[in-house]
Amino acid sequence: MDLGLKGKSVLVTAASKGLGKASALEFAREGAIVTIASRNLEELNKTAADIETATGQKVAVVQMDVTSERDIAKAVETAVEAGGGLDVLVTNAGGPPGGTFDDFDDQAWIKAFELNLLSAIRLIRASLPHMRARGGGRIVTITSTSIKQPIPGLILSNTIRAGVNALTKSLATELAKDGILVNTVAPGRIATDRVAELDQQKAAAKGIPVEDVQAEMIAQIPLGRYGSPDEFGRAVAFLGSFANTYITGQALLVDGGMVKSL
Ligand SMILES: NC(=O)c1ccc[n+]([C@@H]2O[C@H](COP(=O)([O-])OP(=O)(O)OC[C@H]3O[C@@H](n4cnc5c(N)ncnc54)[C@H](OP(=O)(O)O)[C@@H]3O)[C@@H](O)[C@H]2O)c1
């Protein structure tokens, strides 16, 4: 299947590693002009080199923090310059800290809002004029299976990502007339640094080996393993592609069957 991404300009934030990097790699494989953004320039340059080696596609980088409105403007400008416009936006960010209700004060809630919801709002706002100028576009937000089933011990993420999902669904209706399709891709348990870190924290809290934590998790996944970043990236690339012409406002869970709700 031709995903219709050849020569399209794609911006992926929080893409120096993990799910963002895997998504950027898939777009580059499809011949898109990809811009990757995150805070650590050294990591970004390494990732750009990895993607260029794997795909032969030149990748633009921009050092930015998604919690800064100015940095968001800079990231969108960089992608527009690199690709002669902007066709696809993938909004991604780091995850808020784990913990339960009693652990967090207003400041922690505000930070989580800024990191995961306000960043998506601002990225989309900055990108829309460019997509409208192109006569359409694709937006993919990266959330979590917690949009369907809250995850114990991740109350900040559970709450804020529900907002990102509602934003995604609302925008699908509002932006359809502009030819802009908006979807979210929700990872379950994809083997990245973040997941390894969460498993370590859980093991330390329970005083058990990390392998036992992983075995408990895997027992809940019908496919019997964690997903790989490239399995996730392929789902993002399809929903963010121009082969996707009739799917909008959807939440696609990439979770090996973990969430059991209909
Ligand atoms: N992996 C999973 O199975 C899973 C499941 C559910 C939800 N999620 C969520 O999906 C997102 C990506 O997860 P991941 O597993 O890929 O995490 P990861 O491996 O830890 O990667 C996080 C990425 O985010 C970037 N980043 C963090 N804070 C940033 C900021 N303020 N501004 C710009 N970039 C920032 C990091 O780069 P720099 O350090 O260079 O900034 C890095 O590239 C997270 O929000 C995570 O909570 C993941």
Side-chain angles (χ1 to χ4, degrees):
M1 179 174 31
D2 178 6
L3 294 189
L5 284 165
K6 219 155 263 138
K8 298 289 186 192
S9 175
V10 179
L11 170 62
V12 185
T13 61
S16 64
K17 58 183 184 171
L19 304 181
K21 174 181 177 178
S23 304
L25 175 63
E26 291 305 323
F27 283 108
R29 268 197 229 286
E30 295 299 322
I33 303 161
V34 181
T35 301
I36 57 173
S38 82
R39 297 163 304 177
N40 185 327
L41 188 58
E42 206 183 317
E43 283 294 319
L44 272 178
N45 282 329
K46 264 198 257 159
T47 296
D50 285 352
I51 297 177
E52 285 171 11
T53 305
T55 67
Q57 283 289 118
K58 187 109 192 69
V59 173
V61 304
V62 53
Q63 184 176 26
M64 59 91 76
D65 188 322
V66 294
T67 61
S68 156
E69 189 167 19
R70 211 178 49 193
D71 284 5
I72 281 175
K74 184 172 78 170
V76 171
E77 272 162 34
T78 304
V80 168
E81 265 169 40
L86 185 64
D87 301 290
V88 182
L89 169 69
V90 179
T91 73
N92 185 33
T100 56
F101 189 77
D102 289 332
D103 296 324
F104 301 118
D105 60 11
D106 280 0
Q107 215 36 50
W109 281 98
I110 290 166
K111 270 178 90 169
F113 164 73
E114 288 176 346
L115 180 64
N116 292 107
L117 179 50
L118 187 58
S119 62
I121 292 168
R122 285 172 165 168
L123 278 162
I124 292 168
R125 190 191 291 132
S127 299
L128 283 182
H130 302 287
M131 290 186 180
R132 286 180 171 133
R134 294 280 241 219
R138 301 288 180 269
I139 298 171
V140 179
T141 59
I142 294 182
T143 49
S144 162
T145 52
S146 66
I147 61 173
K148 298 287 179 196
Q149 179 178 298
I151 301 168
L154 285 179
I155 195 164
L156 292 176
S157 173
N158 294 341
T159 308
I160 301 297
R161 290 186 202 281
V164 180
N165 190 30
L167 173 75
T168 305
K169 188 73 181 173
S170 307
L171 285 176
T173 303
E174 290 191 17
L175 299 179
K177 65 177 187 327
D178 298 318
I180 300 170
L181 278 55
V182 195
N183 292 285
T184 193
V185 181
R189 215 67 191 165
I190 310 293
T192 63
D193 289 356
R194 157 110 174 150
V195 159
E197 215 174 276
L198 289 171
D199 285 350
Q200 287 290 357
Q201 281 170 12
K202 208 167 171 189
K206 287 183 155 182
I208 58 173
V210 72
E211 292 75 20
D212 291 3
V213 170
Q214 288 162 348
E216 266 174 34
M217 289 304 312
I218 286 169
Q220 295 168 42
I221 303 172
L223 287 182
R225 59 179 174 83
Y226 286 6
S228 67
D230 62 302
E231 290 176 305
F232 182 85
R234 289 199 291 270
V236 173
F238 174 71
L239 283 178
S241 80
F242 293 84
N244 170 25
T245 49
Y246 204 59
I247 302 171
T248 193
Q250 299 307 306
L252 178 63
L253 273 54
V254 180
D255 71 346
M258 185 174 77
V259 171
K260 304 298 187 298
S261 66
L262 288 172

